[in-house]
Amino acid sequence: MNSPIETPAATRQSERLGEQIEERIVTGVYPPGTRLDEQELADMFGVSRTPVREALIQLASVGLIEIRPRRGATVPEVGADRVCEMFEVMAELEAMCGRLAARRITPGEQCALQEAHRACEAARDANTPDVYYQLNEVFHQRIYEASHNSFLVEQASALHRRLRPYRRLQLRVRNRMATSFNEHQAIVDAILKGDSDLAAAQLRAHVTVQGERFADLVATLRDFKAGS
Amino acid sequence: MNSPIETPAATRQSERLGEQIEERIVTGVYPPGTRLDEQELADMFGVSRTPVREALIQLASVGLIEIRPRRGATVPEVGADRVCEMFEVMAELEAMCGRLAARRITPGEQCALQEAHRACEAARDANTPDVYYQLNEVFHQRIYEASHNSFLVEQASALHRRLRPYRRLQLRVRNRMATSFNEHQAIVDAILKGDSDLAAAQLRAHVTVQGERFADLVATLRDFKAGS
DNA sequence: CTCTGCTATCTTGTATACAAAACGGTGATT
DNA sequence: AATCACCGTTTTGTATACAAGATAGCAGAG
């Protein structure tokens, strides 16, 4: 009934603009520190400044950009430490999803979860990280939904989305796909077994690892920079 | 250094408008279902529609109002079940704050926490629920900050703020103040002892109770309505 | 009498115009 | 030569004007 992605009557320009700009931010087209000139964006998208401003305000209130009064909008420098903080919170949110899912998951959702899991397995076997990455999103989304807490689903999804670029960095780390899948397996087992504490712990660890990988990566980059 | 309330260079009108409107929503001046007419608000605040729109968009992206394209902004009917979901998430966020605080709190923050706690005690002894309510906010904020995760502080603060009206409902429930203070005591003890698991559990319970109280209240109201 | 279709009005969404503040550059002074 | 002050330019913030979609009321048909 509800199609997963719906933009039916998204009549509002600013909505679309917001998504476009967000896309450019998370994909690195607008790297941190970029100044977002309203007129420039307006010209680029062929609209006036008004919808651009509305889009920027919306992005700002989600934390994706920073608007300082009278000084314009900029893509914030997201200090690595802050990203780690976000992973820390994400780990807890996912753990919570897992805990609730283990207790509340319905038979239908069990099937959906296993299906998503098997799809990941196929991507692993095919050694296609990009596909795995996408299916991984679905897998986690299934767990969110199984928590039967719509507010939690929204919060978790939002943060997950915001962390996407940093997770993407680790895509091709050695064996990451296989390791990730094994962790998924343990998570699925725990949830289906109804062991909420175990599911929470597994998910927390699964996400925490991602945060640590990110920290490792940053540290490596820093050393690289210092050494050059 | 940082004064608790600061609006130093809040040059942007929409910022101020947003706070004003938010205040009216959470205090019930604009009850759920209210239609927020842009022109009306503009006239009321003596500004044009532009800043009003910006304020509304900001509120919408935080979830405080709902904007349906071409159909205006309304204060959403927040179904009781959704509020319960929010309390469920809040409990976990606070638990996380407690867990981290127990591990990371600094001596200075220990003092600040105890100070806030003693202030609550005074309010309890004076039997002044309104004062206790305010000091309770400070107390929880202290714990947030002691987590040393600024992102978490932001998230927790935002949700805490959003749940304010529902927490307020329980202010004068019998013995609530005394019970709350006792729970606070256990939380403080756990944090100062450095027992992160205990601190998390205590805080989770402390918040969960609030959610349950709210559910009780709703159920009571429903029965009352049905019986009348 | 009810239901449907049209129209008038109102409200939202977007564009443009105007005011004020911040930024940059130039020139004078020490 | 360096620093500070002043002025012009640029950009944000707000107001107004205009276009298009939605709502409500009325009239006519069944």
Side-chain angles (χ1 to χ4, degrees), chain B residues 32-106:
Chain B
T34 305
R35 226 184 114 59
L36 298 175
D37 186 275
E38 296 178 358
Q39 189 64 49
E40 198 177 323
L41 289 171
D43 294 343
M44 170 173 307
F45 288 105
V47 295
S48 90
R49 272 179 54 220
T50 310
V52 172
R53 274 184 68 83
E54 296 184 348
L56 291 180
I57 287 172
Q58 192 170 339
L59 291 178
S61 62
V62 183
L64 248 140
I65 65 174
E66 230 172 44
I67 296 182
R68 284 162 22 187
R70 285 276 175 199
R71 313 181 108 195
T74 58
V75 181
E77 313 266 0
V78 268
D81 47 354
R82 185 164 179 87
V83 176
C84 289
E85 290 182 353
M86 291 167 73
F87 269 112
E88 207 170 32
V89 174
M90 183 84 247
E92 210 61 36
L93 284 181
E94 297 237 14
M96 183 182 177
C97 289
R99 181 178 3 259
L100 294 179
R103 292 209 293 259
R104 302 177 179 173
I105 193 168
T106 67

Side-chain angles (χ1 to χ4, degrees), chain B residues 2-217:
Chain B
N2 252 339
S3 66
I5 284 182
E6 52 171 327
T7 350
T11 316
R12 213 150 89 253
Q13 289 265 29
S14 57
E15 200 81 25
R16 231 174 170 68
L17 285 178
E19 292 173 20
Q20 298 260 340
I21 298 173
E22 177 180 345
E23 189 66 19
R24 300 196 181 197
I25 291 175
V26 300
T27 58
V29 180
Y30 297 148
T34 305
R35 226 184 114 59
L36 298 175
D37 186 275
E38 296 178 358
Q39 189 64 49
E40 198 177 323
L41 289 171
D43 294 343
M44 170 173 307
F45 288 105
V47 295
S48 90
R49 272 179 54 220
T50 310
V52 172
R53 274 184 68 83
E54 296 184 348
L56 291 180
I57 287 172
Q58 192 170 339
L59 291 178
S61 62
V62 183
L64 248 140
I65 65 174
E66 230 172 44
I67 296 182
R68 284 162 22 187
R70 285 276 175 199
R71 313 181 108 195
T74 58
V75 181
E77 313 266 0
V78 268
D81 47 354
R82 185 164 179 87
V83 176
C84 289
E85 290 182 353
M86 291 167 73
F87 269 112
E88 207 170 32
V89 174
M90 183 84 247
E92 210 61 36
L93 284 181
E94 297 237 14
M96 183 182 177
C97 289
R99 181 178 3 259
L100 294 179
R103 292 209 293 259
R104 302 177 179 173
I105 193 168
T106 67
E109 290 165 343
Q110 289 182 2
C111 290
L113 180 61
Q114 286 177 300
E115 188 191 334
H117 184 48
R118 274 195 296 269
C120 284
E121 186 174 31
R124 180 203 59 174
D125 293 339
N127 197 31
T128 52
D130 288 320
V131 175
Y132 185 89
Y133 176 77
Q134 282 189 307
L135 295 172
N136 175 63
E137 307 259 300
V138 176
F139 176 78
H140 282 270
Q141 193 68 33
R142 290 280 176 278
I143 296 176
Y144 301 165
E145 284 158 8
S147 76
H148 287 263
N149 180 322
S150 62
F151 182 75
L152 176 60
V153 174
E154 290 167 22
Q155 295 293 111
S157 301
L159 186 50
H160 186 88
R161 192 171 168 191
R162 202 163 151 198
L163 285 172
R164 218 171 58 182
Y166 309 104
R167 218 178 303 108
R168 193 150 214 162
L169 286 176
Q170 320 165 4
L171 248 182
R172 290 178 181 73
V173 170
R174 207 177 74 81
N175 272 348
R176 183 69 198 118
M177 234 183 350
T179 312
S180 168
F181 180 78
N182 290 338
E183 291 165 5
H184 281 197
Q185 184 67 57
I187 291 165
V188 171
D189 290 344
I191 290 178
L192 294 187
K193 217 193 319 175
D195 189 335
S196 56
D197 285 334
L198 183 58
Q202 296 284 6
L203 262 163
R204 184 179 300 140
H206 178 59
V207 178
T208 300
V209 162
Q210 296 174 13
E212 285 167 1
R213 298 267 175 203
F214 174 77
D216 293 347
L217 183 62

Side-chain angles (χ1 to χ4, degrees), chain A residues 61 82 85 88 104 149-150, chain B residues 61 85 88 104 149-150:
Chain A
S61 62
R82 186 164 179 87
E85 290 181 352
E88 206 170 35
R104 302 177 179 173
N149 180 324
S150 62
Chain B
S61 62
E85 290 182 353
E88 207 170 32
R104 302 177 179 173
N149 180 322
S150 62

Side-chain angles (χ1 to χ4, degrees), chain A:
Chain A
M1 212 151 286
N2 253 340
S3 65
I5 284 182
E6 52 172 326
T7 347
T11 316
R12 213 149 88 252
Q13 290 264 30
S14 57
E15 200 82 25
R16 243 189 158 58
L17 285 178
E19 290 173 21
Q20 298 261 340
I21 298 174
E22 176 180 344
E23 189 67 17
R24 300 197 180 197
I25 291 174
V26 299
T27 58
V29 180
Y30 297 149
T34 305
R35 231 186 109 61
L36 298 174
D37 186 278
E38 297 178 357
Q39 189 65 48
E40 199 177 321
L41 289 170
D43 295 342
M44 169 173 307
F45 289 105
V47 296
S48 88
R49 272 180 52 217
T50 310
V52 172
R53 273 184 68 83
E54 295 184 348
L56 291 180
I57 287 172
Q58 193 169 339
L59 292 178
S61 62
V62 183
L64 249 142
I65 66 174
E66 228 173 46
I67 296 183
R68 284 167 17 191
R70 285 278 177 198
R71 315 183 108 195
T74 57
V75 182
E77 312 267 1
V78 268
D81 46 354
R82 186 164 179 87
V83 176
C84 290
E85 290 181 352
M86 291 166 74
F87 270 111
E88 206 170 35
V89 174
M90 182 86 246
E92 209 61 37
L93 284 181
E94 297 237 13
M96 183 182 177
C97 289
R99 181 179 3 256
L100 295 179
R103 292 207 293 257
R104 302 177 179 173
I105 192 168
T106 68
E109 288 165 347
Q110 290 182 3
C111 291
L113 179 61
Q114 285 177 300
E115 188 192 334
H117 184 49
R118 276 194 296 270
C120 284
E121 186 174 31
R124 180 204 58 174
D125 293 341
N127 197 30
T128 51
D130 287 321
V131 177
Y132 184 87
Y133 176 78
Q134 283 189 306
L135 294 172
N136 175 63
E137 308 258 304
V138 176
F139 176 77
H140 281 270
Q141 193 69 33
R142 291 278 177 280
I143 296 177
Y144 300 166
E145 284 158 7
S147 76
H148 288 263
N149 180 324
S150 62
F151 182 74
L152 176 59
V153 173
E154 290 168 22
Q155 296 293 111
S157 300
L159 186 50
H160 187 87
R161 190 171 171 193
R162 202 161 151 199
L163 285 172
R164 219 170 58 185
Y166 309 104
R167 216 179 302 109
R168 193 150 215 160
L169 286 176
Q170 321 165 3
L171 248 183
R172 289 178 182 72
V173 170
R174 206 176 72 84
N175 271 348
R176 184 69 199 118
M177 230 180 358
T179 311
S180 168
F181 179 78
N182 289 339
E183 291 165 4
H184 282 196
Q185 184 67 58
I187 291 164
V188 171
D189 290 343
I191 290 178
L192 294 186
K193 216 191 326 174
D195 189 335
S196 56
D197 285 335
L198 183 58
Q202 296 282 6
L203 262 164
R204 184 179 299 139
H206 178 59
V207 177
T208 300
V209 161
Q210 296 176 12
E212 286 167 0
R213 297 267 176 205
F214 173 78
D216 293 347
L217 182 63
V218 170
T220 308
L221 288 179
R222 179 166 1 188
D223 290 350
F224 177 72
K225 238 194 280 187
S228 69

